[in-house]
């Protein structure tokens, strides 16, 4: 039996850990009355997203519900297939890697989802659940060694005595305990990249900070990079070094987290930040109120996706979709009205 995969033998480690170019996900809109002349209409869930993520980096994704951030996470781990675009790890296409070496892909990439109660098979013990990925990837010389690996992981996550947790079933544990185990299990294969989607939003406030801190300690120990998806700006500020703001399937602003939070440039980012309580207790922000709901994602018009709700939109915003442009401070902003280019 082998140990963990040595990624340096498979990839060019000098290239970015993750590179996403022009990623798009369309879903057919299935309604007998809604067919365009050129064919069936489509929901644009992710609409041309591009970014890079580097080793040991925590990259945040924020936005309203329905903006496409969770779909983006599923695309990156190939739970769903992109309609267009490229996803590469260390310069290797994830599609190619899954076809030629799926074992390496699943060791490289892991995930933690929002609802811990949906993560585990209810009729298996925690021990069986945690040992399964170790068996699938031939890690450990024996059942006893694999059990010890799981015990060490549970101890590291503060679930003590670890042996008692291994014999229990998911329904016997709290949501916080299950989410801890979900995180610990995802780290057993020592992945280089972890997608974390709203990991504490369903948990009691009293346990959220402990679970976030456990996650941050684990990824620092194992040099794992994270795409951290959340609607909670205060959590994103706490965990991430860079952040991308999504609206209607598009990234509208991206850059250093503190820079964007303290000086948002895109009007939508300004709305998000102004309405977020508890970012800085000593800093007073006047909430920006906007009218209406986000436009339909079904075959959107070639305009700024935020134009219909924007408090400073001009004619050009309704005619042309802005590209992400680099600003003097290094951030990227997709807004016709922001002129401070490098």
């Amino acid at each position: 039996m082998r140990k963990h995969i040595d990624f340096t033998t498979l990839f060019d480690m000098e290239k970015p850990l993750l590179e996403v170019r022009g990623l798009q996900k369309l879903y057919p809109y299935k309604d007998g009355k809604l067919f365009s002349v050129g064919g069936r209409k489509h929901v644009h869930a992710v609409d041309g997203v591009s970014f890079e993520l580097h080793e040991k980096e925590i990259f945040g994704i924020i936005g309203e519900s329905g903006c496409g951030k969770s779909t983006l996470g599923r695309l990156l781990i190939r739970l769903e297939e992109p309609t267009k675009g490229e996803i590469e790890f260390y310069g290797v296409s994830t599609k190619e890697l899954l076809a030629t070496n799926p074992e390496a892909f699943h060791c490289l990439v892991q995930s933690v989802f929002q609802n811990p109660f949906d993560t585990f098979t209810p009729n298996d013990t925690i021990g069986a659940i945690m040992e399964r990925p170790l068996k699938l990837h031939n890690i450990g010389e024996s059942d006893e060694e694999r059990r010890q690996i799981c015990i060490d992981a549970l101890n590291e996550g503060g679930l003590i005595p670890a042996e008692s947790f291994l014999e229990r079933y998911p329904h016997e544990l709290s949501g916080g305990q299950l989410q801890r185990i979900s995180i610990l299990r995802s780290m057993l294969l020592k992945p280089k990249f972890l997608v974390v989607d709203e990991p504490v939003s369903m948990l009691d406030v009293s346990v959220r900070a402990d679970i976030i801190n456990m996650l941050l300690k684990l990824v620092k120990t194992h040099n794992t990079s994270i795409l951290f998806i959340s609607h909670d700006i205060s959590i994103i500020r706490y965990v991430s070094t860079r952040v991308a703001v999504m609206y209607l399937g598009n990234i509208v602003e991206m850059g250093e987290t503190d820079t964007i939070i303290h000086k948002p440039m895109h009007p939508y980012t300004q709305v998000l930040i102004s309405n977020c309580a508890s970012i800085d207790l000593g800093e007073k922000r006047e909430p920006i109120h906007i009218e209406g709901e986000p436009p339909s994602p079904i075959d959107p018009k070639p305009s700024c996706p935020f134009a219909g709700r924007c408090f400073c939109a001009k004619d050009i915003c309704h005619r042309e979709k802005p590209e992400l442009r680099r600003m003097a401070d290094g951030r990227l902003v997709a807004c016709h009205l922001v002129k401070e280019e490098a």
Side-chain angles (χ1 to χ4, degrees):
M1 288 190 179
R2 65 161 181 80
K3 300 295 183 181
H4 295 277
I5 288 178
D6 181 4
F7 295 119
T8 62
T9 64
L10 298 175
F11 304 107
D12 181 356
M13 308 300 283
E14 297 299 318
K15 292 189 175 181
L17 167 64
L18 171 67
E19 188 171 2
V20 179
R21 297 190 298 272
L23 195 62
Q24 186 181 60
K25 181 61 179 179
L26 308 182
Y27 296 101
Y29 190 73
K30 298 179 180 179
D31 186 325
K33 297 181 180 179
L34 290 178
F35 287 94
S36 62
V37 175
R40 184 178 298 174
K41 292 181 179 288
H42 290 85
V43 174
H44 291 232
V46 174
D47 205 7
V49 165
S50 300
F51 66 93
E52 291 183 0
L53 185 142
H54 301 277
E55 286 195 343
K56 304 179 185 179
E57 184 178 19
I58 299 180
F59 184 69
I61 302 284
I62 59 173
E64 294 173 288
S65 296
C67 72
K69 55 188 186 294
S70 292
T71 301
L72 173 61
R74 292 195 298 271
L75 292 172
L76 298 182
I77 59 178
R78 305 302 291 208
L79 284 181
E80 297 194 41
E81 285 297 307
T83 304
K84 291 182 181 178
E86 295 293 330
I87 307 168
E88 294 182 354
F89 286 103
Y90 298 114
V92 177
S93 163
T94 56
K95 184 175 182 179
E96 174 187 336
L97 184 59
L98 262 178
T100 59
N101 196 340
E103 186 177 29
F105 177 82
H106 292 298
C107 284
L108 178 75
V109 179
Q110 288 289 304
S111 58
V112 177
F113 295 109
Q114 180 179 19
N115 189 349
F117 294 98
D118 291 341
T119 303
F120 302 113
T121 49
N123 296 325
D124 289 330
T125 64
I126 298 301
I129 290 168
M130 292 190 70
E131 290 171 21
R132 186 171 294 123
L134 299 176
K135 290 181 179 179
L136 286 173
H137 294 277
N138 296 319
I139 295 173
E141 299 294 335
S142 63
D143 289 342
E144 289 74 20
E145 183 175 341
R146 284 186 284 271
R147 180 179 174 85
Q148 188 58 51
I149 291 172
C150 295
I151 289 173
D152 293 342
L154 291 172
N155 283 329
E156 186 177 11
L159 295 171
I160 301 172
E163 291 83 354
S164 70
F165 281 93
L166 292 178
E167 305 305 324
R168 297 164 74 178
Y169 289 87
H171 70 270
E172 298 177 304
L173 303 179
S174 69
Q177 290 170 330
L178 285 178
Q179 194 65 302
R180 282 178 184 270
I181 293 169
S182 179
I183 293 168
L184 294 168
R185 182 182 63 168
S186 72
M187 295 301 296
L188 286 176
L189 300 180
K190 298 182 179 179
K192 298 293 289 183
F193 176 62
L194 186 66
V195 171
V196 181
D197 190 354
E198 301 276 14
V200 296
S201 63
M202 295 187 65
L203 305 180
D204 190 273
V205 174
S206 63
V207 302
R208 291 181 183 180
D210 286 342
I211 292 176
I212 291 293
N213 287 331
M214 184 197 78
L215 172 64
L216 296 180
K217 179 181 177 181
L218 284 171
V219 298
K220 183 177 181 179
T221 299
H222 298 292
N223 295 323
T224 302
S225 300
I226 294 182
L227 183 89
F228 197 107
I229 298 167
S230 180
H231 67 278
D232 191 324
I233 298 174
S234 60
I235 290 180
I236 287 293
R237 183 188 180 188
Y238 180 66
V239 303
S240 68
T241 50
R242 286 194 303 136
V243 63
V245 182
M246 286 191 70
Y247 184 81
L248 206 68
N250 299 266
I251 290 178
V252 297
E253 188 164 2
M254 177 167 58
E256 298 294 326
T257 303
D258 280 343
T259 300
I260 287 179
I261 285 178
H262 286 296
K263 189 184 176 184
M265 287 186 173
H266 194 282
Y268 175 66
T269 312
Q270 294 174 14
V271 171
L272 278 185
I273 301 300
S274 72
N275 285 278
C276 178
S278 76
I279 289 181
D280 280 312
L281 296 179
E283 181 179 356
K284 292 185 178 180
R285 292 180 183 269
E286 191 68 29
I288 301 173
H289 299 289
I290 55 175
E291 301 296 329
E293 297 293 328
S296 170
I298 301 171
D299 293 342
K301 298 177 181 178
S303 60
C304 173
F306 191 57
R309 305 173 74 196
C310 183
F311 52 88
C312 56
K314 305 296 183 184
D315 287 345
I316 190 174
C317 304
H318 296 278
R319 297 195 313 266
E320 298 178 17
K321 183 176 180 179
E323 299 292 328
L324 280 169
R325 295 179 292 118
R326 190 168 297 278
M327 302 293 115
D329 60 9
R331 83 177 79 193
L332 296 170
V333 183
C335 180
H336 292 299
L337 307 181
V338 176
K339 302 297 183 183
E340 188 192 344
E341 295 187 67

